[in-house]
Amino acid sequence: MNISHFELLCEVARVKSFSKAAKLLHLSQPAVSSQIHSIEDYYGAKLFERSTSGVTLTPVGEIVYQYAKEILRLHEKLEKEIDDLLNTENQKLIIGASSTIGNYAIPCTIWTFKEKYPCTQIKLEVKNTETILSMLANDELDLALLEEPIPKNDGNLKKQPVLNDELLVITPPKKPWVDKTSITLEELKKAPLIIREQGSGLRYMFEKAISGLNVKLPEDFNVIAEMGSTEAIKSAVEAGLGVSICSSLAIKKEIRSGTIHPLRIENAEFQVNYLIVYKNDKQLNNAAKRFIRFLAGPGKDPFC
Amino acid sequence: MNISHFELLCEVARVKSFSKAAKLLHLSQPAVSSQIHSIEDYYGAKLFERSTSGVTLTPVGEIVYQYAKEILRLHEKLEKEIDDLLNTENQKLIIGASSTIGNYAIPCTIWTFKEKYPCTQIKLEVKNTETILSMLANDELDLALLEEPIPKNDGNLKKQPVLNDELLVITPPKKPWVDKTSITLEELKKAPLIIREQGSGLRYMFEKAISGLNVKLPEDFNVIAEMGSTEAIKSAVEAGLGVSICSSLAIKKEIRSGTIHPLRIENAEFQVNYLIVYKNDKQLNNAAKRFIRFLAGPGKDPFC
DNA sequence: AACAATTACGCACCACGTAAGGATA
DNA sequence: TATCCTTACGTGGTGCGTAATTGTT
């Protein structure tokens, strides 16, 4: 039994479903199933009653759940106490992030993290993916937050999924877009398209995604502009100049206020997997390790 | 971090030595060293100050130690609560043991175990190794306690070391033995020797040990009797009829009272490794799992 | 020299993901 | 059929023991 077993158990008990817990913990569903089985095996008792609509704790499971929460609480307290005792060198953390995650997801994460570990000093660098990768290689960063796939990954990088998001086509809230909820790839190829610059993770991801469909950027599209920032692109789309592609994370506010109209691409999965990435051989300091556990671990979504 | 990490850490902190903790936990010393290193890595802080005369806790280590003890205490309480809730089927345990361990080590162990887990119903079968093995094969036993090496082990048995002891030559407390503290193999070959019957684990072990020295039983020895019980042999030796071989466990009392004189064999290591053995494919019940952890795990020696 | 911890290395096991399988509404 | 959990299987990472090394008294 280890701490992450307890975390997994608590997460499953909380959401009453193996598959939901798997998503939240960035694990496959069979992995969760197998973990729970081995916990049950360890204690020699069934902990969850399985049904078609999820799982519920058995009486024994309830006991284990209560203790697991208590043990986790203790352990968290332990880590905080260690935190207070460590020298400040261990508390500095430089994180790099690509635009989308750096601008729209991480700021709030850092805030939540600092609430939990107030001693940590975090510096955030938001650049495009290529730049972040070279900074990581030069040890200018402890950790990076990037999107999959990672270009030119020579195997010296360790990665861990932390967040799943969806790539959407963003359009002005007017005809012909505003009546649709989705768009075909053919329609998109003809639409006035604004894209990010070379070296941007979003662009790389989009290129990768469409290359599987035998379509190429920029030649197969009607590219009307190339811009170096998501905010610039959003402004252009809001102004009705064209359409673009971005992560749903980046347009939460605009969707709510109705200034941007999002569309799904038909018959295609444009999932974005955000990863926390670090050098395989690098000795991570305490703050970095904790930050990784904070993001990849359980609990309510650390992104906002 | 898992429960056994905490156990290991507490054991090391308690005895202030990697090597001593390794012995107590039935692990190699490098294994303990590596575990401690990974715990230190996990918390991002050095927990032990190493010196030539063992190790001491650092301030951070002291904190982790305190929490580890608390977590272990909680976890033990959890297991006890589960224990109370389980049905009685899970609480029955049939243990088989070969003579030495069955007669001299286990009775006290069972007593200690039942103090901790009063619901458990334990039945103990003491037979010779061969018989115990066949009972295990026929599912007449949950667990067996035997000495290494195990004859005819077809790989279907899982084993775990639980106790190390030393094989001694036992002699009457009179001339020519009483002045010596050790004996050569040549002297032993000429001495009037009493041995256990075929099928006895002790005999098998002794045969294995001397076969490495190109000596065979019974032809190379002066065997004057073969007996089916250690007690009978001890009585014979006490009566001055001859010498024999047995585990130091079995003659603690006699050494103390001076009725038997033990000798080491020169230039030879006669270590006995006692193992807990069970069928690889068998689903162990709760009591069995707990008993294994109780014996193999940390804490003060469960044998008396 | 003796003792304690570390490093190196090979092996076995375990946790994971992918893919296929069963059960239930 | 859709959803959820389980089973099967191949793979990579980790923990282990053995043996050699370092370091201190």
Side-chain angles (χ1 to χ4, degrees), chain B residues 226-284:
Chain B
E226 204 169 281
M227 299 186 181
S229 112
T230 308
E231 281 305 313
I233 291 182
K234 276 158 59 179
S235 302
V237 171
E238 283 176 323
L241 302 181
V243 306
S244 188
I245 302 282
C246 82
S247 192
S248 85
L249 260 181
I251 48 163
K252 271 191 187 165
K253 262 187 299 186
E254 286 76 9
I255 293 178
R256 219 176 305 140
S257 63
T259 58
I260 280 184
H261 183 68
L263 301 175
R264 284 204 172 69
I265 302 181
E266 277 172 33
N267 305 319
E269 279 279 326
F270 280 94
Q271 277 285 326
V272 194
N273 297 314
Y274 290 102
L275 308 169
I276 191 155
V277 181
Y278 46 98
K279 278 175 90 171
N280 216 345
D281 49 9
K282 184 166 179 178
Q283 186 74 321
L284 294 175

Side-chain angles (χ1 to χ4, degrees), chain A residues 1-3 6 41-45 63-64 67 70 74-75 77-78 81-82 86 90 286 289 293, chain B residues 1-3 6 41-45 63-64 67 70 74-75 77-78 81-82 85-86 286 289 293:
Chain A
M1 286 300 302
N2 60 35
I3 294 292
F6 290 129
D41 193 48
Y42 181 88
Y43 291 115
I63 292 180
V64 179
Y67 274 91
E70 180 62 15
L74 258 179
H75 194 247
K77 207 169 139 214
L78 163 59
E81 284 204 26
I82 294 174
L86 287 180
N90 256 316
N286 221 30
K289 285 183 214 155
R293 262 185 268 151
Chain B
M1 286 300 301
N2 59 37
I3 294 292
F6 290 129
D41 192 49
Y42 182 89
Y43 291 115
I63 292 179
V64 179
Y67 274 91
E70 181 61 14
L74 258 179
H75 194 248
K77 207 170 139 213
L78 163 59
E81 284 204 25
I82 294 175
L85 247 76
L86 287 180
N286 222 30
K289 284 183 213 153
R293 262 185 268 151

